[in-house]
């Protein structure tokens, strides 16, 4: 190859490099945005998903567009238990889940979802926002997660397609779907029903085809999943209040700079108030819509027989979890 050709090729490379860099040196070029994925089981209008979008919005705004969190609603990345596993090994960066399936990865979380544990919603929020709540978030680290924030999820109650539940006896022998959680299996069995763990997305058709007789959830989920169409009897027994949590993969967080980690941690905390607001509105709307539709709703006035039937679950807890439960009860 002649010298002239080599010179021309070099000039061409130089011109391309200048064009590509737009005349800027390497340090002038802003870094590529970091794109992270968040898995959510609910649809995009659900209050919890709206909380996820708020979290993503705050992160993008506060990082000047450098960090983008893409929310995947409708269980597009999988059902909760499978998603948690993927977060554990870093294939998914974040997820918002119920603490029920998470307890399979960090058993202490069972202490936060015991039946009739909290005196009311304020009591639960006082715990979650206390140093004990922060200890729970931090306790996820050995399992490979960073606990970021808590979302509201109201209280869970039973619904079914067979008959109104007015007492524990009415639940006897009923096939009730539960989340993939050993505590929830124990809870339903303690009431004399048959517990069937199953992913959320399969519940509608399982009730419709008679594979199960019912399930349990809060007003918003009973409404948004349209389970009310196939399970018309809903008893408001509020057997458990299960907070929801946003977790990050520890592998993802470890890759980020201190500054970016701080943006994410703070944005997650700051999205909580927004989620609680939209949750409260949607909970009322869901209840009103279902009542107006004529479903048979029974508001349980006396839950003492439910409480008594579930007492063995407390006795079976490990001494460490019993200690946490005691601490929770003592917090005002
Ligand atoms: C909902 C919760 C979901 C999921 C679902 C279920 O209340 O928001 O994350 O856990 O219950 O029952 O599977």
């Amino acid at each position: 190859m002649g010298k002239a050709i080599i010179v021309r090729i070099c000039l061409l490379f130089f011109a391309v490099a200048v064009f590509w860099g737009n005349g800027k040196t390497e340090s002038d070029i802003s870094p590529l945005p970091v794109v992270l994925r968040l898995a959510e089981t609910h649809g995009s209008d659900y209050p919890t998903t709206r909380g996820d979008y708020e979290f993503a919005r705050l992160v993008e705004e506060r990082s000047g567009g450098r960090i983008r969190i893409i929310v995947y609603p409708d269980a597009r990345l999988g059902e909760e238990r499978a998603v948690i596993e993927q977060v554990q090994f870093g294939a998914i960066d974040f997820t918002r889940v119920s603490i029920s399936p998470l307890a399979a990865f960090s058993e202490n979380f069972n202490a936060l979802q015991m039946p009739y544990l909290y005196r009311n919603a304020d009591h639960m929020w006082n715990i979650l926002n206390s140093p004990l709540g922060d200890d729970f978030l931090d306790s996820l680290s050995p399992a490979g997660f960073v606990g970021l924030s808590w979302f509201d999820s109201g209280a869970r109650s039973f619904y079914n397609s067979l008959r109104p539940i007015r007492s524990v006896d009415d639940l006897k022998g009923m096939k009730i779907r539960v989340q993939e959680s050993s505590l929830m299996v124990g809870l339903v069995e303690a009431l004399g029903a048959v517990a069937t763990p199953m992913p959320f997305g399969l519940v509608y058709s399982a009730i419709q085809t008679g594979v199960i007789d019912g399930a349990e959830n809060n007003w918003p989920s009973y409404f948004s999943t349209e389970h009310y169409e196939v399970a018309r009897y809903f008893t408001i027994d509020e057997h458990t209040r299960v907070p929801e949590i946003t977790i990050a993969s520890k592998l993802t967080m470890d890759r980020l700079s201190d500054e970016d980690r701080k943006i994410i941690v703070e944005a997650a905390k700051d999205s909580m108030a927004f989620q609680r607001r939209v949750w409260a509105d949607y909970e009322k709307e869901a209840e009103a819509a279902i009542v107006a539709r004529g479903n048979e709703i029974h508001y349980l006035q006396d839950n003492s027989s439910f409480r008594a039937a579930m007492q063995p679950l407390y006795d079976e807890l490990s001494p460490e979890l019993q200690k946490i439960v005691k601490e929770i009860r003592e917090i005002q």
Side-chain angles (χ1 to χ4, degrees), residues 41-42 80 96 98 156 177 179 200 217-218 221 244:
T41 202
H42 291 291
E80 285 191 342
R96 188 293 314 160
S98 159
R156 298 176 77 100
R177 176 269 175 175
Q179 290 156 294
F200 194 39
N217 222 311
N218 47 46
S221 281
E244 319 235 278

Side-chain angles (χ1 to χ4, degrees), residues 10 34 37 52 80 87 90 99 104 113 128 134 153 163 169 185 191 218 297:
C10 288
V34 179
R37 303 192 303 163
D52 303 334
E80 285 191 342
V87 171
I99 65 162
Q113 55 158 343
L128 299 179
D134 292 340
S153 191
R163 54 181 176 261
D169 277 351
V185 169
L191 296 167
N218 47 46
I297 315 295

Side-chain angles (χ1 to χ4, degrees), residues 161-162 175 203-214:
S161 60
L162 299 182
K175 285 181 272 151
V203 178
Y204 186 98
S205 61
I207 300 178
Q208 194 176 36
T209 55
V211 171
I212 52 171
D213 303 315

Side-chain angles (χ1 to χ4, degrees), residues 300-320:
L300 195 72
Q301 299 304 331
D302 175 10
N303 60 24
S304 54
S305 62
F306 279 71
R307 282 173 182 271
M310 296 184 203
Q311 180 56 35
L313 294 176
Y314 281 91
D315 306 336
E316 286 158 16
L317 280 183
S318 68
E320 300 92 87

